[in-house]
Amino acid sequence: MTSPEDAAPVKPPPSFAPGAPVAVQKSRFAGDPLQSSRRISGDLGDTTPVASPTFSPRSSSLSPSRRLSSSTQPRRSSAGSPVGGIVDGSDDVRSLIIRAFSPAVAILASDDTHELVKQKGFKGGLRELLRPFGEKVPGRVVIRDSVGSSRGWEDYGVRFIDLAETQPVPSSRDPVGSPMGQLEAVLQNTLDAADSTSNRWSQLSQSSNTNSLSASPLYQLFLRRLLSINTPTPHETFMHPVACVIAISSRNKTPLESLRQLYAQTSQGSNAPPPWVHGEFLRYYVLVHDEDRDDISESTKLYDQMKRHFGLHCHLLRLRSNQCVETDDDSVEVPSTEWLSPAEDLSKAEEKNVLIDLGPEVPYLFESDVNAIKMMVRELVVQSVIPFMENKVAIWNDQVASRRRGLSGRFMSMSRRWAGFGSSKSGSSGLGGGNTGNYDPSLGCYRPDTPEAILRKLADYAFMLRDWKLSTSTYDLIRADYGNDKAWKYHAGAHEMCAVSMLLNPLTSTAKNKLETIDQLIETACYSYLTRCSAAENALRCLTLSVELLMSRGGSAAESAARWAMRIMEMGLVGSIGRNLITERISACYASKTSNTGSPFGSRRRKAAMWSVLASDAWLKLGKTPLALACLEQAERLYAEVLDKEGVYPIPEMQAVMDNLKRAVQVEYLEAQGVDTSDETEVAKKLGAEETSEKLDDRAHRRSLIVSPAMVENGPPSAVPQGEEPRQDDDFE
């Protein structure tokens, strides 16, 4: 066997000439080019000899001279991805969006409880201990909708938050400190981590799902962090607490009095929610029993007293106060938190950098503690939170929404709008005359007991209970009132969630007239968010959710999704990394557009391939060669479905663009492996070419190979013979 010292530093790839077909190593999903996994052909930081990447659009096999040797075959790493989480397909991305809007459960614990949990190794207190287990409730959660039918959900969860987090946070004027700047910083940190740990690139640049709509793990991270921007706001109630866990421990000397004091803090004091949060949320009382030091019989007696004083919404949580370590027999690793805000992600990254020499600090719990916490979370959600929300939805729907939907309610709404009758503010009447409702412009919100605020809360509760039919009708009912009151953020939010609810409802048609309605809702929401409210993060969330949900519908909805994704880039809502991810999703949108007849006509494979090429060039400009390679391979597979001849493009300029991009990726790999690319002879030797008359361009030139989508799509104007019309993409397809 050849020793590593005798092996060549880099195996030369097959040579290719401009305009000639170029071979590519086939993936194991060779039967369907669009369903192959997005993989990497080498690890940047690995010292093992790795062959430079080669490409082929359609060949099902390779000759021995072009096949990579088994010793240099890139292997998919089994190491953990720096992104973490789940690799999702189109259905899983839809599930991710649904799970992002979960009920918020606040935590308010006594000092003795905090000390007990801190002793177990959780510095953030009870919330840090419970948070990972709330994101996935064990077992099936059955929810009853507004018409009385029930449905079970396996992926239901809640968000545990500190009660103090409901207080509004002043917006930062520093672009880096803003949510959008933090989101871009999270993506940059992830790519930097992949650069420093080369064997993680494979999981970062590929999707294990064979669906062509699969989102890359990096895009999933982008989506999770975007949906986790949890700044409390009056105009939507997703981050308003549905319930509050009031916890004391068995160490407490005056338990009942402590519970009463904590209850008072939920409505007044420094921990109380702001005035625009409705105070009628559920209180859930928890007694944390110390299994290692306290008597269970005494805790049981105290627990019975709690139920007599505070009702049935109580729980006895039995935990060991000793800290668990990995070497314990019954130790269980605490699951990672999926829904971290960008600020929290950056904070955790800084902590890891400080402790990099000591290794990652992974928390562990005893198996008995894990089972006790899961039991408590399930009981909290199934027996208390869900019934409480269902009851509130029924009451608000019957007492408030039904009156608005009735004839008298519509008459009063029209009266307030056109004549000022029924207004709560004097002197505000008149035709179209300004604020005629309950909106307070000085505070920028409605009081929580006004019909407009209750209806928004009803719609949000129905959305979190996954009753999208009721949420759609309620958002649609109140959006006009918000516009009449010039409550622009409420107005934008109602339009946004009305469109999202319609797209999540499987019974909603995607006919042309219905898509026009959805497009109008999205357009109105984005205009209000950006022009009237300067809320870029809300506009980005609206467009991103619309893109993913429209793309999952397929057909003409997929083309609409691509147009809205382009709007994200036109509005400049994302940074350079986010822009590249959106470019990839535009390609996925067009790839999901299929013909109803099953023929290639009506599909958008060429457009999908073109946007993959643009994404590849964009990643190459950022120096992320593995991501560029993944996009380039996807483009080759898409082009293979519409080209008349294998690897030969109908436009010479297009052939040159693809050849130059392939060569640039190859040269980037050589640079990553320490090859001096300024030496033309050495590069030609490594690339396997016998002769070359072209000199290598510098890095800046090689990273700007593609100028515009128009050149990739139809070639420059000189490529069209005089007197002939250029062939349009739709005609070709």
Side-chain angles (χ1 to χ4, degrees):
M1 180 177 295
T2 305
S3 63
E5 291 78 3
D6 298 332
V10 179
K11 183 176 179 178
S15 61
F16 56 88
V22 184
V24 65
Q25 179 186 352
K26 297 297 290 184
S27 69
R28 60 190 181 94
F29 298 102
D32 188 349
L34 283 178
Q35 294 184 354
S36 64
S37 61
R38 304 179 65 185
R39 57 176 175 75
I40 176 176
S41 291
D43 293 334
L44 291 182
D46 198 351
T47 57
T48 306
V50 179
S52 297
T54 56
F55 308 89
S56 171
R58 201 187 307 210
S59 61
S60 60
S61 61
L62 297 175
S63 62
S65 62
R66 292 192 174 187
R67 189 177 296 116
L68 296 177
S69 65
S70 58
S71 61
T72 59
Q73 175 69 26
R75 296 177 176 85
R76 183 172 299 170
S77 172
S78 59
S81 170
V83 181
I86 308 169
V87 179
D88 295 326
S90 59
D91 292 338
D92 294 316
V93 170
R94 185 177 183 273
S95 174
L96 185 148
I97 293 172
I98 294 173
R99 290 184 290 111
F101 297 92
S102 301
V105 178
I107 300 290
L108 184 60
S110 61
D111 293 338
D112 51 279
T113 306
H114 179 75
E115 290 299 324
L116 188 152
V117 176
K118 187 177 179 180
Q119 185 178 341
K120 293 180 64 63
F122 295 86
K123 300 177 182 178
L126 185 61
R127 187 247 181 156
E128 182 183 350
L129 176 66
L130 299 180
R131 186 180 183 184
F133 299 96
E135 296 178 346
K136 176 65 171 65
V137 177
R140 173 173 294 190
V141 177
V142 179
I143 303 175
R144 187 176 66 252
D145 60 19
S146 57
V147 297
S149 60
S150 300
R151 179 175 177 181
W153 299 90
E154 300 284 354
D155 60 346
Y156 203 80
V158 293
R159 299 276 189 95
F160 285 111
I161 62 173
D162 283 327
L163 188 61
E165 288 185 7
T166 58
Q167 293 289 343
V169 179
S171 58
S172 174
R173 296 183 178 180
D174 183 10
V176 179
S178 66
M180 305 305 296
Q182 292 171 348
L183 180 60
E184 185 73 10
V186 168
L187 298 177
Q188 185 63 57
N189 287 349
T190 305
L191 292 179
D192 292 342
D195 284 332
S196 60
T197 310
S198 60
N199 59 0
R200 293 181 176 181
W201 268 115
S202 59
Q203 294 192 8
L204 185 61
S205 61
Q206 59 87 33
S207 174
S208 63
N209 194 307
T210 58
N211 194 326
S212 61
L213 303 182
S214 297
S216 66
L218 185 61
Y219 181 78
Q220 295 171 46
L221 174 71
F222 165 79
L223 192 57
R224 285 191 181 92
R225 297 298 174 261
L226 174 63
L227 296 177
S228 299
I229 297 176
N230 51 5
T231 304
T233 177
H235 82 278
E236 63 182 22
T237 64
F238 295 115
M239 287 304 297
H240 297 191
V242 173
C244 180
V245 173
I246 301 175
I248 62 171
S249 73
S250 55
R251 301 177 180 179
N252 198 292
K253 303 301 181 181
T254 57
L256 297 181
E257 181 62 25
S258 297
L259 287 173
R260 292 189 180 95
Q261 292 177 359
L262 292 173
Y263 175 86
Q265 293 180 27
T266 62
S267 56
Q268 59 187 359
S270 59
N271 290 327
W276 33 262
V277 172
H278 204 295
E280 294 184 3
F281 49 84
L282 176 71
R283 271 71 171 185
Y284 192 84
Y285 302 90
V286 174
L287 173 60
V288 181
H289 170 70
D290 186 350
E291 289 279 276
D292 292 324
R293 292 172 174 82
D294 293 332
D295 186 3
I296 184 60
S297 61
E298 295 297 326
S299 296
T300 304
K301 293 178 183 179
L302 176 57
Y303 177 62
D304 293 336
Q305 291 181 355
M306 290 172 54
K307 289 191 291 184
R308 286 195 299 267
H309 282 80
F310 303 106
L312 298 178
H313 297 293
C314 300
H315 188 85
L316 176 60
L317 179 61
R318 303 173 61 173
L319 298 177
R320 297 183 59 181
S321 58
N322 294 332
Q323 184 173 358
C324 180
V325 295
E326 185 179 4
T327 55
D328 291 333
D329 294 337
D330 57 345
S331 64
V332 177
E333 182 178 343
V334 177
S336 59
T337 304
E338 181 181 10
W339 300 103
L340 289 173
S341 67
E344 290 175 323
D345 195 311
L346 293 176
S347 178
K348 285 186 175 293
E350 292 178 0
E351 293 178 1
K352 291 180 180 179
N353 291 336
V354 173
L355 300 174
I356 191 170
D357 295 332
L358 303 178
E361 186 177 356
V362 180
Y364 287 87
L365 283 174
F366 297 105
E367 186 176 1
S368 59
D369 292 345
V370 172
N371 294 333
I373 293 174
K374 288 183 177 180
M375 183 183 301
M376 176 207 150
V377 170
R378 176 165 179 81
E379 183 178 313
L380 166 68
V381 173
V382 174
Q383 298 183 14
S384 297
V385 172
I386 297 298
F388 174 80
M389 296 178 68
E390 291 174 344
N391 182 50
K392 288 297 183 182
V393 165
I395 293 174
W396 293 333
N397 191 29
D398 179 63
Q399 296 181 357
V400 184
S402 60
R403 296 180 181 179
R404 283 291 182 95
R405 296 189 183 99
L407 182 60
S408 60
R410 294 181 182 180
F411 175 75
M412 291 302 296
S413 179
M414 293 175 61
S415 300
R416 291 197 309 270
R417 184 176 304 175
W418 299 110
F421 299 130
S423 173
S424 63
K425 296 181 180 293
S426 60
S428 59
S429 61
L431 186 64
N435 187 351
T436 60
N438 298 310
Y439 183 68
D440 189 344
S442 60
L443 298 177
C445 65
Y446 291 93
R447 296 191 312 274
D449 57 345
T450 58
E452 292 83 0
I454 292 176
L455 287 173
R456 173 67 204 225
K457 198 172 185 70
L458 165 63
D460 290 348
Y461 271 36
F463 191 95
M464 290 186 289
L465 291 175
R466 305 181 182 183
D467 186 356
W468 293 296
K469 182 178 180 181
L470 177 60
S471 63
T472 301
S473 63
T474 309
Y475 288 127
D476 184 65
L477 180 66
I478 56 177
R479 58 190 178 93
D481 292 341
Y482 292 151
N484 182 56
D485 290 341
K486 294 183 173 57
W488 296 125
K489 209 161 189 179
Y490 286 86
H491 181 257
H495 281 78
E496 173 195 5
M497 297 312 298
C498 186
V500 173
S501 298
M502 292 177 67
L503 291 171
L504 284 174
N505 189 352
L507 301 180
T508 301
S509 171
T510 55
K512 183 177 180 180
N513 59 343
K514 186 63 69 173
L515 284 178
E516 290 176 353
T517 301
I518 294 174
D519 287 344
Q520 185 60 45
L521 291 171
I522 300 171
E523 180 70 39
T524 303
C526 291
Y527 177 80
S528 292
Y529 274 140
L530 289 176
T531 306
R532 293 162 171 160
C533 307
S534 300
E537 64 272 14
N538 292 95
L540 177 59
R541 185 188 71 175
C542 174
L543 290 175
T544 305
L545 294 180
S546 302
V547 167
E548 293 301 323
L549 296 176
L550 283 168
M551 182 175 63
S552 66
R553 293 300 186 100
S556 56
E559 290 191 279
S560 180
R563 290 193 296 270
W564 287 116
M566 295 177 198
R567 286 286 296 275
I568 294 176
M569 298 195 295
E570 291 172 2
M571 295 177 179
L573 298 178
V574 289
S576 57
I577 300 175
R579 188 180 182 88
N580 294 357
L581 293 174
I582 296 300
T583 304
E584 289 186 11
R585 296 312 284 167
I586 295 175
S587 175
C589 290
Y590 282 124
S592 66
K593 175 68 167 63
T594 57
S595 173
N596 296 329
T597 61
S599 63
F601 297 98
S603 63
R604 295 293 180 267
R605 291 296 190 263
R606 278 187 64 214
K607 283 188 176 180
M610 181 266 289
W611 283 98
S612 284
V613 171
L614 293 176
S616 178
D617 178 70
W619 286 122
L620 198 60
K621 291 177 182 178
L622 294 180
K624 308 304 178 184
T625 315
L627 299 179
L629 172 60
C631 293
L632 190 57
E633 289 179 340
Q634 178 71 359
E636 290 279 358
R637 290 189 289 268
L638 290 167
Y639 273 128
E641 295 192 355
V642 295
L643 293 178
D644 296 332
K645 297 177 66 176
E646 292 186 5
V648 178
Y649 297 90
I651 302 174
E653 288 76 10
M654 185 65 214
Q655 184 75 60
V657 165
M658 293 298 292
D659 290 342
N660 289 338
L661 187 56
K662 296 169 190 174
R663 181 180 178 86
V665 172
Q666 290 177 321
V667 173
E668 287 286 347
Y669 265 96
L670 294 179
E671 290 183 353
Q673 297 178 30
V675 177
D676 183 11
T677 55
S678 61
D679 187 347
E680 180 182 353
T681 305
E682 182 69 14
V683 172
K685 178 181 178 182
K686 299 300 181 183
L687 293 179
E690 297 179 358
E691 295 180 353
T692 176
S693 59
E694 300 176 355
K695 294 184 178 181
L696 289 175
D697 298 327
D698 59 7
R699 181 185 295 268
H701 180 67
R702 284 188 284 100
R703 290 184 180 175
S704 58
L705 297 170
I706 302 175
V707 180
S708 67
M711 186 182 74
V712 180
E713 188 73 352
N714 295 318
S718 59
V720 181
Q722 187 175 4
E724 293 185 16
E725 293 292 331
R727 182 170 58 182
Q728 298 297 322
D729 188 20
D730 293 341
D731 296 336
F732 176 76
E733 295 170 344

